[in-house]
Amino acid sequence: MSTQKFSRRQFLLIGGSGVAVAALAACQPQAQPTTAPAKAEPTKAAAVGPTQPPAPKKQPDVDFFAWGDPVDVPAWNKVAEMYTQKTGNKANVTIGATGDFYTKLQTMVAGGTPPHLSSFQGWEWQVFADKNVLVPVDDQVKAAKLEDIFIDAPGDIAYTQRKGKKYLLPIEHPTMLMFYAKKPFQDAGLPFPKDDWTFEQFLEAAQKLTKTVDGKKQFGYQANGIWARDIHWMRNSGKQEFDNLIDPKKSMFAQPELAEIIQIVASDVYYKMKISPTPADLEGGANTIDTGNCAMKYEGPWYFTRLNNPQLRDQKKAVEFDVVIMPKYKDASRPHRCLTSGVAVLRTDKVDATWAFASYLVSYEGNKAYSEISGRLPNNPKGAEQDWVPRIKELHGVANGRAFIDAFKTSVVDVVGGVPRSKIWNEAAKPLGWDPLTLGTGKAVDVLPKVDTKVQELLDAYWATQPKS
Amino acid sequence: MTAITQRRRDSLRRYFSGLALEETLSGFLFATPFVVGFSVFIAYPMIYSIVLVFQNWDLLTPPVFVGLNNITKVFRDPVANLSLYNTAFYTFLAVPVQLGISFLLAMALNQPIKGRSFYRAGFYMPMIVPVVASAVVWQRVFHPEFGLMNEVIGWFGMEPRKWLWDPALAKPAFIFMSFWMIGRQMVIFIAGLQNIPQSLVEAASIDGAGRLHQLRHIIIPLMTPIIFYNMVMAIIASFQIFAPAMLMTNGGPQNATLFAVLNIYRNAFEYYNMGYASALAWELFVIVVGFTVTQFYVSRRWVYYETG
Amino acid sequence: MNIAAKSFRPMRTAFRRPSWVRIREVAMLVALQIFMTLLVISFLVPTIWMVLSSFKASTELFVHPIKWLPDEWLWGNYVRAATVFPVGFQRFALNTLIITSAATLGTVLSSVVVAYSFARLRWPGREFFFGLLLATVMLPEVVTLVPRFIMFRNFKWVGTFLPLTAPFWFGTATFYVFLIRQFLRGIPMELEDAARIDGASRLRTLWQILMPLSKPVLATVAVFSALQHYNDFMGPLIYLNRMDTWTMALAVRSYNSQYAAQWEMIFAVSTMMLIPMVLLFIVAQRYFVRGITMTGFGGQ
């Protein structure tokens, strides 16, 4: 009957579309690199002349889970594109948002679908190495002669090696310095900060630069308000908040020198001296060094592009700025934090292919392209001193670029070990320490002992799972 | 004896003999998706999560048997207890007020005013806004310096507050936010009010009962089943608040908005402590079920069901 | 719960009252009308402000007193917001569309099949399983969160769309199954019997006779299910890691944390996510109301 045929067609139609949708839903979403497809196949075939290097081996595609800072994203894509053009192999760049980068990475690894290569900051990868998720790369580094990307300074060693083995391939060795916007200083008739300035001079300048002009608020200092960025001040007080910065066993936040400096930089700058916009204000984004409302900020090279680049200069929205090493406080050697970050190879079935891409990424050529786009400090001495310093002067107006390289010589690490810095922050330092401090509801001398108790708990819990040495 | 077994055999035979067999088999067949789905996605995970409670597992290294450690930790951990307190605080302050507001709105929409469909739609609208979008909006409303909230309380002469940045005010802010989402309860109350026979109300009016008297002695008693239903559903939902806390304050400030489900999520997917997270989840489950069952028992006292 | 959705009528009393009482009643109604208008505006205002702000320049967002209309309607904000991510916003929209359609289709089809079994067919254990179905209402989603993740990890489904779509093809959604069951019970048996006599199989009866009759309730289920999956946050948060698999919900959240200073873009993205659901709501409003009224469930 006609109705029978119709119903069967209907059934097939709906069933078919259901299957189609299910199939769409089930198919593994392909990582979409925004790079151009490989046009490199012809170049391999066109290898002519004895000086041509041997055609590179054809490797399977690798997945690179890349740090998603806006300045980095185009850089990753460019290097991946260059890699494909050079070797014909493909690296799929998938961006991880910075907010919960490590959570997502851990989910991917725990979920059975890890990337082959991942970005890491120097203090976050140790946990993964301990759990055997990462591959040590000493042999490969030696074979590829890439030793010069490692710097022989305590900070760098701690951030790239663990238990004598290299894991992290650095792509930058930045330090953080004091950025200052020139205009507020000029308007107030104050001289620019100099290398030999002191902490008291810094506070004084910040206070002089804090005023209200034409109803718009000006601040002398844009405080960061998080433990990581206050570490610099803490170390410069001559004390450190752990017994050992590598695999610490004891938490020592509540020392008088630390309490004193933390009180100033994490609380008083907002509420007592009022030289910085409050955290709530900063969250709104109206009063920052970017908008010209703050005179100074403790930042790193990744911040250059935000303040001053050719496009912004064309639109007359650029902020003229320069950098200076941090003011002298109690520690005469003036330690600065170094923040080596890079990539690490995960233990998958594609380690060789991954190494091929990773080694290109950190090689002089790849790193040069990366650094040019992202503005980050290159990982090798030649690139840093010969390429980067003049370039940042030209592109961003930074005359004192050498300060970054020099500061690295006295670099210290934040803390590395089996308990990652993020865990200490999220579970202890932030809720018990920095939240009340930055909100103005607690004093350092009161909250730091509580931070100690909780951090000690985390450390003890970690050491309880380790084999007794 | 034999009579009973004979009856039982008869009742089973009812299903399996002759024509009824086809119906029984069809019944099984059509219900198979549910049986399979329930077993695979609900029953098996629940049983497995009990197994997890006795282990510490981070999914990267092999699981470690820890006995009752996770269970004792659940009771001793100050953060876990704080999360329960936060959840209870939120639920037991928010739900009664929500019910009150939605009931009053339903009564108001039951009056002969114009544009009632429009009002009903307007009150229901916030429920279709994605939670990520409403989080963004409310962050702006509660902004300490430029927020709508401080502006409005300024009209009444009150000082601006820090709201989401103040540990004491963060939960009240969330409670206030929940009043925006009373659309569902209101619609149910409206339907319930419509079901009240006009004759009862008219009879009371004729007898001289004022509005208030009508409310207390006719409308509310007849609505008690619906009030009860809304209350149970609202409590179950409020116990599970997660997304706003994660998006707006991430549990802060100082863990003031660390609610139970957020704590479980963190332990599972940020700290990768699967065993402890499972223990916390079971604790929450027992509490929710316990509360619901208690409510059902207590309801016998105050819920008035019409005959049948 | 068997509240049928009656038409939305107000309550009136039929007999006459003295004129002063009537005037007072009218005055109260007018006052109520005004109050309700203000109240409903206050419910809609935050969302409207967000939509208007998405067109503003960032300097107009944080000012005293609050600015409502933008000086200049910056459509460019939308263009920027859609392209600033390395993965274009259209990708997020596509992912959301795929997941929502697959899950909704699965919900509707499987709920109908299961509801039919509970409504019409007699089989041993039916009451038991129906009781199980109702009991799952009390189950907080979080209890099965961890073991399901581990299970999906063993299936190698983490990072794909499958954990967000496959479980909904099994008819375990309490409210939808319940709703359809109640509805099916209201359909006279004669229709089915006639079909059986004509030789139709169970499936065909369901397909050709019952389902067309159930279009209203199926529409309700589809609308609610679509809303639920579209707005789902926790599921994508856990299972979708690579940015090119994200749904719009995750993208909006990421804007909120990464581009914290650029609220006008965050608002633009939120508005883009909101619009489809608002359209759906306007078009299908009565299904929303019916769904809530008949099941007690609706929304987040």
Side-chain angles (χ1 to χ4, degrees):
Chain A
M1 283 201 297
S2 56
T3 44
Q4 272 189 330
K5 284 214 188 77
F6 192 59
S7 74
R8 204 171 295 144
R9 204 180 303 145
Q10 262 188 336
F11 183 88
L12 283 174
L13 187 70
I14 300 206
S17 60
V19 167
V21 176
L24 257 181
C27 69
Q28 191 87 320
Q30 294 301 324
Q32 256 196 11
T34 50
T35 62
K39 301 192 255 281
E41 309 300 347
T43 58
K44 274 202 288 180
V48 286
T51 51
Q52 282 284 3
K57 208 166 78 147
K58 180 82 180 96
Q59 303 276 12
D61 293 354
V62 295
D63 288 330
F64 172 36
F65 187 56
W67 185 251
D69 191 312
V71 306
D72 288 321
V73 172
W76 302 126
N77 288 324
K78 180 84 173 101
V79 178
E81 191 184 313
M82 288 167 61
Y83 175 68
T84 307
Q85 281 181 351
K86 180 165 177 174
T87 64
N89 297 315
K90 199 143 167 263
N92 296 322
V93 176
T94 54
I95 305 294
T98 60
D100 51 0
F101 185 86
Y102 298 107
T103 313
K104 288 277 184 257
L105 176 63
Q106 197 159 17
T107 307
M108 286 199 275
V109 177
T113 53
H116 304 108
L117 185 72
S118 176
S119 293
F120 277 101
Q121 293 162 310
W123 51 89
E124 289 288 338
W125 57 265
Q126 285 78 2
V127 181
F128 292 91
D130 284 347
K131 301 207 172 150
N132 218 12
V133 172
L134 303 179
V135 170
V137 290
D138 304 71
D139 300 330
Q140 292 93 325
V141 165
K142 204 180 275 185
K145 296 197 180 26
L146 281 173
E147 284 96 339
D148 69 342
I149 66 175
F150 295 90
I151 294 186
D152 192 18
D156 206 58
I157 293 178
Y159 280 147
T160 55
Q161 298 178 32
R162 186 153 174 79
K163 304 192 172 131
K165 301 212 189 110
K166 294 189 172 70
Y167 287 93
L168 186 79
L169 292 162
I171 53 169
E172 57 163 353
H173 298 284
T175 48
M176 284 176 75
L177 303 179
M178 190 65 82
F179 283 45
Y180 61 91
K182 291 187 183 163
K183 189 165 185 301
F185 279 85
Q186 287 162 337
D187 288 346
L190 289 173
F192 295 145
K194 298 223 178 6
D195 282 354
D196 57 357
W197 64 328
T198 64
F199 187 61
E200 288 74 26
Q201 287 172 335
F202 156 69
L203 289 176
E204 204 184 303
Q207 271 167 332
K208 288 203 187 126
L209 290 163
T210 303
K211 46 180 154 358
T212 309
V213 173
D214 294 330
K216 268 181 48 164
K217 287 195 240 179
Q218 300 275 352
F219 292 94
Y221 176 54
Q222 183 178 343
N224 288 294
I226 57 176
W227 168 48
R229 295 200 165 190
D230 290 337
I231 285 180
H232 169 89
W233 305 112
M234 288 157 68
R235 297 297 156 70
N236 268 272
S237 73
K239 299 279 180 206
Q240 59 190 36
E241 68 273 29
F242 294 99
D243 59 335
N244 204 327
L245 294 178
I246 303 180
D247 284 316
K249 286 207 167 82
K250 190 153 176 285
S251 170
M252 294 161 55
F253 278 81
Q255 299 176 66
E257 296 85 347
L258 291 179
E260 187 187 328
I261 186 65
I262 291 175
Q263 179 67 37
I264 298 179
V265 294
S267 193
D268 290 345
V269 293
Y270 299 117
Y271 302 111
K272 199 163 123 196
M273 305 180 207
K274 302 204 192 195
I275 51 178
S276 167
T278 61
D281 206 352
L282 287 170
E283 196 220 8
N287 290 322
T288 61
I289 192 170
D290 307 42
T291 59
N293 292 70
C294 293
M296 296 188 275
K297 188 170 196 258
Y298 172 56
E299 264 298 346
W302 49 84
Y303 215 73
F304 293 157
T305 316
R306 278 174 70 153
L307 290 177
N308 190 332
N309 64 57
Q311 288 95 318
L312 284 176
R313 285 203 287 274
D314 285 338
Q315 299 167 358
K316 305 252 185 296
K317 286 198 200 152
V319 174
E320 298 267 322
F321 74 98
D322 209 334
V323 299
V324 63
I325 64 174
M326 298 293 277
K328 250 189 287 198
Y329 190 47
K330 290 185 185 162
D331 190 332
S333 66
R334 300 177 85 171
H336 281 68
R337 287 168 70 218
C338 67
L339 293 110
T340 306
S341 57
V343 295
V345 177
L346 278 86
R347 193 176 294 278
T348 61
D349 52 359
K350 289 188 187 173
V351 170
D352 289 334
T354 313
W355 170 256
F357 174 63
S359 57
Y360 179 72
L361 185 63
V362 299
S363 67
Y364 177 71
E365 186 185 327
N367 191 256
K368 182 160 189 286
Y370 172 74
S371 160
E372 274 169 6
I373 300 178
S374 66
R376 295 190 187 260
L377 215 158
N379 61 5
N380 56 84
K382 174 169 170 227
E385 293 180 30
Q386 297 184 3
D387 300 331
W388 187 74
V389 170
R391 190 172 70 237
I392 60 174
K393 178 152 192 348
E394 187 196 317
L395 280 180
H396 308 293
V398 178
N400 197 5
R402 277 217 63 97
F404 283 101
I405 303 172
D406 294 336
F408 205 92
K409 302 196 177 100
T410 55
S411 63
V412 291
V413 302
D414 295 350
V415 61
V416 295
V419 186
R421 198 192 76 183
S422 56
K423 191 167 164 141
I424 300 177
W425 168 248
N426 283 324
E427 291 195 52
K430 179 178 193 288
L432 300 171
W434 266 256
D435 269 351
L437 284 169
T438 57
L439 290 171
T441 57
K443 292 221 154 301
V445 289
D446 299 324
V447 302
L448 288 176
K450 295 188 206 158
V451 172
D452 262 341
T453 316
K454 182 72 186 170
V455 175
Q456 193 62 52
E457 203 185 292
L458 295 174
L459 293 174
D460 292 339
Y462 167 71
W463 285 109
T465 65
Q466 297 301 301
K468 305 279 180 276
S469 50
Chain B
M1 275 309 153
T2 42
I4 299 175
T5 45
Q6 183 65 28
R7 232 176 306 166
R8 208 174 291 143
R9 232 179 287 141
D10 277 338
S11 64
L12 273 183
R13 196 171 299 155
R14 196 175 72 213
Y15 290 113
F16 289 103
S17 60
L19 289 171
L21 178 65
E22 186 273 336
E23 185 171 337
T24 305
L25 286 180
S26 294
F28 283 139
L29 184 69
F30 279 65
T32 304
F34 174 74
V35 175
V36 169
F38 183 84
S39 313
V40 171
F41 294 112
I42 298 178
Y44 169 70
M46 284 186 72
I47 298 174
Y48 184 48
S49 79
I50 298 184
V51 172
L52 280 175
V53 168
F54 297 106
Q55 300 172 334
N56 268 348
W57 196 18
D58 64 359
L59 295 186
L60 299 176
T61 53
V64 174
F65 182 74
V66 292
L68 295 174
N69 271 356
N70 285 329
I71 301 183
T72 50
K73 188 171 171 201
V74 157
F75 292 117
R76 282 211 210 118
D77 185 8
V79 173
N81 292 333
L82 178 63
S83 74
L84 285 180
Y85 166 74
N86 287 337
T87 311
F89 183 100
Y90 171 78
T91 302
F92 295 120
L93 284 183
V95 172
V97 182
Q98 281 174 13
L99 290 175
I101 295 179
S102 53
F103 190 83
L104 289 174
L105 284 180
M107 295 252 353
L109 288 189
N110 215 23
Q111 305 302 314
I113 53 179
K114 301 257 189 304
R116 282 160 34 257
S117 292
F118 168 69
Y119 290 132
R120 189 181 61 184
F123 287 125
Y124 188 73
M125 178 75 84
M127 301 220 66
I128 64 161
V129 176
V131 67
V132 281
S134 65
V136 161
V137 169
W138 281 100
Q139 272 179 294
R140 181 60 182 74
V141 167
F142 282 125
H143 195 273
E145 251 195 84
F146 302 107
L148 267 172
M149 197 63 182
N150 279 336
E151 189 107 351
V152 167
I153 63 174
W155 299 341
F156 297 101
M158 286 162 63
E159 291 277 308
R161 313 261 171 192
K162 288 205 199 131
W163 298 116
L164 298 174
W165 297 83
D166 183 343
L169 288 180
K171 281 196 282 287
F174 271 78
I175 293 174
F176 183 81
M177 216 173 90
S178 75
F179 300 155
W180 213 40
M181 306 286 263
I182 45 92
R184 178 189 65 87
Q185 294 173 13
M186 182 190 78
V187 170
I188 295 178
F189 276 138
I190 290 176
L193 287 174
Q194 307 251 293
N195 263 344
I196 293 180
Q198 303 275 47
S199 48
L200 279 179
V201 180
E202 283 186 17
S205 269
I206 293 174
D207 282 346
R211 281 286 170 89
L212 209 58
H213 196 262
Q214 284 174 19
L215 188 69
R216 257 183 66 206
H217 292 277
I218 300 179
I219 296 180
I220 290 188
L222 285 177
M223 290 286 282
T224 47
I226 300 179
I227 298 176
F228 175 66
Y229 175 77
N230 267 339
M231 184 175 83
V232 169
M233 298 308 296
I235 290 184
I236 292 181
S238 294
F239 260 107
Q240 300 184 57
I241 177 174
F242 167 73
M246 186 190 206
L247 293 167
M248 293 166 65
T249 52
N250 204 14
Q254 288 171 239
N255 286 338
T257 56
L258 182 67
F259 296 116
V261 176
L262 180 59
N263 192 30
I264 296 172
Y265 169 81
R266 269 208 192 149
N267 274 290
F269 297 104
E270 288 181 19
Y271 310 152
Y272 277 88
N273 209 339
M274 295 293 165
Y276 183 53
S278 300
L280 287 173
W282 269 93
E283 188 194 24
L284 184 68
F285 177 58
V286 166
I287 291 177
V288 168
V289 170
F291 252 105
T292 310
V293 169
T294 311
Q295 284 178 287
F296 268 95
Y297 268 115
V298 172
S299 79
R300 292 195 196 153
R301 291 257 179 106
W302 62 277
V303 177
Y304 168 76
Y305 290 101
E306 269 184 279
T307 52
Chain C
M1 239 189 77
N2 227 332
I3 299 178
K6 292 208 192 117
S7 65
F8 193 17
R9 291 183 332 265
M11 207 163 64
R12 287 182 202 273
T13 48
F15 60 99
R16 294 186 67 82
R17 292 133 292 160
S19 55
W20 65 271
V21 170
R22 261 187 292 152
I23 291 176
R24 198 183 67 175
E25 269 190 22
V26 168
M28 273 179 28
L29 280 178
V30 169
L32 185 63
Q33 188 102 33
I34 295 175
F35 176 68
M36 292 297 274
T37 311
L38 290 174
L39 197 61
V40 98
I41 289 177
S42 72
F43 265 69
L44 295 174
V45 142
T47 316
I48 295 178
W49 187 88
M50 176 185 87
V51 174
L52 288 176
S53 300
S54 63
F55 292 104
K56 294 183 189 150
S58 56
T59 46
E60 297 177 300
L61 290 174
F62 293 102
V63 287
H64 271 309
I66 294 205
K67 223 172 151 105
W68 293 101
L69 290 175
D71 286 336
E72 208 189 305
W73 291 78
L74 295 173
W75 294 88
N77 287 347
Y78 279 83
V79 175
R80 257 197 312 148
T83 54
V84 75
F85 257 140
V87 175
F89 196 77
Q90 62 275 12
R91 177 90 205 192
F92 302 136
L94 179 68
N95 292 339
T96 313
L97 179 69
I98 293 176
I99 293 176
T100 307
S101 331
T104 302
L105 186 68
T107 305
V108 171
L109 290 180
S110 63
S111 300
V112 164
V113 167
V114 172
Y116 179 64
S117 168
F118 283 133
R120 287 298 208 209
L121 304 172
R122 277 174 294 257
W123 45 283
R126 183 182 76 169
E127 299 308 316
F128 168 69
F129 280 108
F130 191 61
L132 274 187
L133 180 73
L134 292 182
T136 56
V137 162
M138 276 197 298
L139 183 71
E141 189 188 331
V142 74
V143 175
T144 51
L145 193 69
V146 167
R148 279 167 75 142
F149 179 77
I150 297 177
M151 192 169 74
F152 290 133
R153 161 197 189 251
N154 294 335
F155 294 166
K156 295 245 181 295
W157 284 6
V158 175
T160 69
F161 293 159
L162 285 169
L164 303 174
T165 55
F168 300 101
W169 284 77
F170 289 88
T172 50
T174 308
F175 288 105
Y176 305 136
V177 172
F178 182 75
L179 175 64
I180 301 176
R181 172 190 184 257
Q182 299 301 96
F183 189 87
L184 287 178
R185 282 188 142 192
I187 298 180
M189 277 299 279
E190 291 79 51
L191 287 171
E192 257 186 278
D193 293 338
R196 298 296 308 289
I197 290 171
D198 279 346
S201 72
R202 292 271 176 204
L203 187 61
R204 185 170 293 159
T205 316
L206 178 64
W207 197 248
Q208 280 195 282
I209 300 191
L210 294 177
M211 273 185 74
L213 283 176
S214 319
K215 280 213 193 95
V217 75
L218 293 185
T220 307
V221 168
V223 157
F224 268 114
S225 177
L227 178 68
Q228 175 196 336
H229 292 290
Y230 186 85
N231 287 346
D232 185 19
F233 174 66
M234 202 200 248
L237 179 70
I238 294 174
Y239 292 106
L240 302 179
N241 298 307
R242 298 184 159 86
M243 206 187 258
D244 52 350
T245 60
W246 279 8
T247 57
M248 288 200 270
L250 294 181
V252 171
R253 172 197 182 224
S254 177
Y255 272 90
N256 200 3
S257 52
Q258 262 196 297
Y259 300 99
Q262 294 167 295
W263 283 77
E264 73 278 8
M265 283 213 302
I266 299 172
F267 292 148
V269 157
S270 305
T271 307
M272 282 198 274
M273 188 183 176
L274 175 62
I275 285 174
M277 280 298 120
V278 170
L279 290 176
L280 181 68
F281 180 63
I282 292 175
V283 161
Q285 199 196 112
R286 60 164 186 234
Y287 293 118
F288 275 94
V289 175
R290 168 180 309 160
I292 304 165
T293 318
M294 291 184 79
T295 62
F297 177 72
Q300 288 137 2

